[in-house]
Protein backbone atom coordinates (compact mmCIF):
# COMPACT_ATOMS: atom_id res chain seq x y z
CA UNK A 1 0.00 0.00 0.00
CA UNK A 2 1.54 3.40 -1.01
CA UNK A 3 1.89 6.01 1.73
CA UNK A 4 1.32 9.74 1.34
CA UNK A 5 3.53 12.06 3.39
CA UNK A 6 2.44 11.92 7.02
CA UNK A 7 -0.80 10.07 6.26
CA UNK A 8 -1.88 6.58 5.34
CA UNK A 9 -4.38 6.20 2.48
CA UNK A 10 -5.78 3.04 1.02
CA UNK A 11 -4.26 3.61 -2.41
CA UNK A 12 -4.20 0.84 -4.97
CA UNK A 13 -0.98 -0.25 -6.64
CA UNK A 14 -0.34 -0.35 -10.38
CA UNK A 15 -1.61 -3.94 -10.35
CA UNK A 16 -5.13 -2.44 -10.21
CA UNK A 17 -4.72 -0.87 -13.67
CA UNK A 18 -7.07 -2.87 -15.89
CA UNK A 19 -5.02 -3.55 -19.01
CA UNK A 20 -7.41 -6.38 -19.86
CA UNK A 21 -10.07 -3.72 -20.54
CA UNK A 22 -8.17 -2.53 -23.62
CA UNK A 23 -9.67 -3.88 -26.82
CA UNK A 24 -8.58 -3.28 -30.39
CA UNK A 25 -10.27 -3.51 -33.77
CA UNK A 26 -8.58 -4.52 -37.03
CA UNK A 27 -7.97 -1.54 -39.32
CA UNK A 28 -6.32 -1.36 -42.74
CA UNK A 29 -5.20 2.26 -43.24
CA UNK A 30 -1.79 2.47 -41.52
CA UNK A 31 -1.00 6.02 -42.68
CA UNK A 32 -4.08 7.56 -41.02
CA UNK A 33 -3.35 9.79 -38.02
CA UNK A 34 -5.71 9.10 -35.13
CA UNK A 35 -5.96 11.55 -32.23
CA UNK A 36 -7.87 10.89 -29.00
CA UNK A 37 -8.28 13.30 -26.09
CA UNK A 38 -10.04 13.10 -22.75
CA UNK A 39 -10.13 15.62 -19.94
CA UNK A 40 -11.40 13.00 -17.48
CA UNK A 41 -8.24 11.17 -16.38
CA UNK A 42 -7.43 10.93 -12.69
CA UNK A 43 -5.06 9.02 -10.44
CA UNK A 44 -3.66 9.69 -6.97
CA UNK A 45 -0.30 11.23 -6.10
CA UNK A 46 1.41 8.62 -3.89
CA UNK A 47 3.39 11.35 -2.10
CA UNK A 48 0.51 13.65 -1.08
CA UNK A 49 -2.52 11.38 -1.40
CA UNK A 50 -4.21 14.11 -3.44
CA UNK A 51 -5.93 13.46 -6.75
CA UNK A 52 -4.04 14.23 -9.97
CA UNK A 53 -6.43 15.29 -12.74
CA UNK A 54 -5.23 15.43 -16.33
CA UNK A 55 -6.06 15.76 -19.97
CA UNK A 56 -4.68 12.78 -21.87
CA UNK A 57 -3.90 13.07 -25.58
CA UNK A 58 -3.08 10.00 -27.62
CA UNK A 59 -1.87 10.24 -31.22
CA UNK A 60 -1.04 7.22 -33.30
CA UNK A 61 -0.89 5.71 -36.75
CA UNK A 62 -2.30 2.16 -36.91
CA UNK A 63 0.79 0.66 -38.55
CA UNK A 64 0.13 -2.53 -36.58
CA UNK A 65 -3.28 -2.91 -38.24
CA UNK A 66 -5.18 -2.11 -35.02
CA UNK A 67 -7.20 0.79 -33.61
CA UNK A 68 -8.30 1.20 -30.02
CA UNK A 69 -11.95 0.63 -29.15
CA UNK A 70 -12.94 3.83 -27.31
CA UNK A 71 -15.26 2.39 -24.66
CA UNK A 72 -12.50 -0.01 -23.63
CA UNK A 73 -10.07 2.91 -23.38
CA UNK A 74 -12.49 4.73 -21.08
CA UNK A 75 -12.74 1.67 -18.77
CA UNK A 76 -8.94 1.42 -18.79
CA UNK A 77 -8.62 5.08 -17.74
CA UNK A 78 -11.24 4.66 -15.00
CA UNK A 79 -9.12 1.88 -13.46
CA UNK A 80 -6.46 4.49 -12.58
CA UNK A 81 -8.84 6.41 -10.33
CA UNK A 82 -7.58 5.05 -6.95
CA UNK A 83 -4.07 4.06 -8.06
CA UNK A 84 -1.11 5.75 -6.38
CA UNK A 85 1.15 6.63 -9.31
CA UNK A 86 3.34 9.61 -10.12
CA UNK A 87 2.34 11.74 -13.12
CA UNK A 88 5.39 10.74 -15.11
CA UNK A 89 4.79 7.08 -14.30
CA UNK A 90 1.18 7.25 -15.44
CA UNK A 91 2.25 8.74 -18.78
CA UNK A 92 4.86 6.01 -19.26
CA UNK A 93 2.39 3.29 -18.29
CA UNK A 94 -0.33 4.52 -20.68
CA UNK A 95 2.26 4.70 -23.48
CA UNK A 96 3.53 1.17 -22.83
CA UNK A 97 0.04 -0.33 -22.57
CA UNK A 98 -1.15 1.37 -25.76
CA UNK A 99 1.98 0.33 -27.65
CA UNK A 100 1.47 -3.28 -26.55
CA UNK A 101 -2.12 -3.50 -27.87
CA UNK A 102 -1.75 -1.29 -30.96
CA UNK A 103 1.51 -2.88 -32.17
CA UNK A 104 2.79 0.44 -33.52
CA UNK A 105 5.90 2.59 -33.11
CA UNK A 106 3.92 5.61 -34.35
CA UNK A 107 2.49 6.52 -30.96
CA UNK A 108 2.57 9.53 -28.68
CA UNK A 109 0.95 9.99 -25.27
CA UNK A 110 0.79 13.45 -23.70
CA UNK A 111 -0.61 14.16 -20.25
CA UNK A 112 -1.39 17.72 -19.18
CA UNK A 113 -2.06 17.81 -15.46
CA UNK A 114 -4.30 20.40 -13.82
CA UNK A 115 -2.39 23.02 -11.86
CA UNK A 116 -1.64 21.98 -8.30
CA UNK A 117 0.62 24.00 -6.04
CA UNK A 118 1.17 26.53 -8.82
CA UNK A 119 2.87 23.96 -11.05
CA UNK A 120 1.84 23.05 -14.59
CA UNK A 121 3.03 19.58 -15.56
CA UNK A 122 3.04 18.14 -19.07
CA UNK A 123 4.58 14.72 -19.78
CA UNK A 124 5.21 13.29 -23.25
CA UNK A 125 6.15 9.75 -24.23
CA UNK A 126 6.83 8.59 -27.78
CA UNK A 127 6.39 10.34 -31.11
CA UNK A 128 4.38 10.27 -34.31
CA UNK A 129 5.88 11.28 -37.66
CA UNK A 130 3.97 13.95 -39.51
CA UNK A 131 1.63 12.80 -42.28
Amino acid sequence: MPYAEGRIYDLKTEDAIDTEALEVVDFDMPQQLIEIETKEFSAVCPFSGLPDMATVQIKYKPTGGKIIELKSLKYYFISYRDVGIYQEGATKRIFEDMKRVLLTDELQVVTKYNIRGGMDVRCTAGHVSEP
Side-chain angles (χ1 to χ4, degrees):
M1 172 177 14
Y3 295 95
E5 181 183 28
R7 300 185 182 266
I8 298 174
Y9 292 96
D10 189 19
L11 303 180
K12 295 179 182 174
T13 65
E14 284 189 52
D15 294 340
I17 298 169
D18 188 7
T19 56
E20 297 299 315
L22 291 173
E23 296 179 24
V24 292
V25 177
D26 292 336
F27 191 71
D28 65 352
M29 190 176 182
Q31 70 275 19
Q32 185 176 43
L33 177 62
I34 299 169
E35 299 180 62
I36 301 166
E37 180 174 305
T38 182
K39 294 177 172 71
E40 299 178 359
F41 179 82
S42 67
V44 181
C45 173
F47 184 77
S48 68
L50 297 172
D52 281 328
M53 313 285 227
T55 297
V56 177
Q57 299 171 326
I58 299 170
K59 278 188 196 180
Y60 69 98
K61 291 182 182 176
T63 59
K66 307 287 182 191
I67 57 173
I68 195 74
E69 196 283 316
L70 296 178
K71 181 177 71 172
S72 77
L73 183 60
K74 180 73 171 186
Y75 286 129
Y76 167 76
F77 284 151
I78 287 170
S79 74
Y80 278 82
R81 192 174 288 167
D82 296 321
V83 172
I85 187 170
Y86 288 103
Q87 296 169 350
E88 301 83 355
T91 307
K92 177 181 181 241
R93 177 67 186 263
I94 294 166
F95 175 80
E96 290 171 347
D97 290 341
M98 292 294 293
K99 186 170 181 160
R100 180 181 51 79
V101 297
L102 292 172
L103 307 172
T104 184
D105 289 326
E106 292 281 338
L107 171 66
Q108 182 179 60
V109 174
V110 177
T111 55
K112 294 185 209 176
Y113 283 87
N114 294 358
I115 295 174
R116 185 154 54 88
M119 302 279 189
D120 283 317
V121 177
R122 176 185 170 128
C123 304
T124 303
H127 72 282
V128 175
S129 60
E130 292 303 311

